[in-house]
């Protein structure tokens, strides 16, 4: 699952897959030490990463690990929005618009209009606090 936060970083939950190990260039400490036990994976400069932990990525592409418990306490209550709402928020913010502009933008799609009519508070929370994308892993 990916989470988009108001702070300038994104986070992805580590699932232990080879794809994520390669993506984040995790280091297997067991291999480095010449042992063949189950791997202990480390994120360079950030410490050990276990399944269920989160890997955050900053605006400059830097990565750091956050334990699952800490991440849950800090970010688990973020609202869940459909992908098209996430795209709209990202578009508006990347265009240096504020929430007033997003609410009053005259060229929104019918999907966005309907979502904002039915979920205005969720939209505002997602804009201000960050969000999770519905069904996104």
């Amino acid at each position: 699952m990916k989470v988009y936060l108001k702070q300038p970083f994104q986070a992805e939950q580590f699932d232990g897959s080879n794809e994520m190990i390669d993506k984040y260039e995790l280091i297997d400490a067991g291999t480095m030490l010449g042992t063949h036990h189950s791997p202990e994976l480390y994120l360079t400069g950030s410490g050990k990463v276990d399944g269920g932990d989160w890997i955050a990525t900053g605006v400059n592409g830097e990565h750091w690990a956050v334990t699952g418990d800490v991440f849950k306490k800090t970010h688990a209550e973020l609202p869940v929005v459909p992908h098209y709402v996430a795209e709209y928020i990202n578009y508006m913010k990347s265009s240096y618009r504020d929430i007033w502009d997003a609410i009053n933008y005259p060229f929104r799609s019918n999907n966005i209009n309907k979502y904002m009519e039915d979920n205005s508070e969720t939209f505002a929370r997602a804009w201000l606090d960050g969000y999770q994308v519905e069904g996104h892993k």
Side-chain angles (χ1 to χ4, degrees), residues 54-111:
W54 291 77
I55 299 175
T57 303
V59 294
N60 295 318
E62 70 279 16
H63 303 295
W64 64 95
V66 181
T67 65
D69 289 343
V70 169
F71 193 89
K72 184 177 181 182
K73 289 175 186 173
T74 309
H75 302 293
E77 298 303 316
L78 293 175
V80 178
V81 299
H83 70 90
Y84 59 88
V85 173
E87 290 171 0
Y88 179 69
I89 290 172
N90 288 337
Y91 170 75
M92 294 301 285
K93 286 187 172 192
S94 69
S95 300
Y96 303 101
R97 308 287 181 122
D98 61 20
I99 192 168
W100 178 259
D101 293 330
I103 292 169
N104 293 296
Y105 192 65
F107 303 109
R108 293 190 312 242
S109 71
N110 289 336
N111 283 345

Side-chain angles (χ1 to χ4, degrees), residues 8-94:
F9 68 91
Q10 296 181 8
E12 185 171 17
Q13 192 168 27
F14 179 60
D15 62 10
S17 69
N18 288 332
E19 293 82 20
M20 289 189 76
I21 290 170
D22 292 341
K23 177 179 180 179
Y24 294 107
E25 300 175 354
L26 299 179
I27 299 166
D28 178 355
T31 301
M32 287 176 43
L33 299 173
T35 63
H36 298 290
H37 300 100
S38 59
E40 288 191 5
L41 299 171
Y42 288 83
L43 186 60
T44 304
S46 181
K48 187 175 176 187
V49 180
D50 292 316
D53 287 351
W54 291 77
I55 299 175
T57 303
V59 294
N60 295 318
E62 70 279 16
H63 303 295
W64 64 95
V66 181
T67 65
D69 289 343
V70 169
F71 193 89
K72 184 177 181 182
K73 289 175 186 173
T74 309
H75 302 293
E77 298 303 316
L78 293 175
V80 178
V81 299
H83 70 90
Y84 59 88
V85 173
E87 290 171 0
Y88 179 69
I89 290 172
N90 288 337
Y91 170 75
M92 294 301 285
K93 286 187 172 192
S94 69

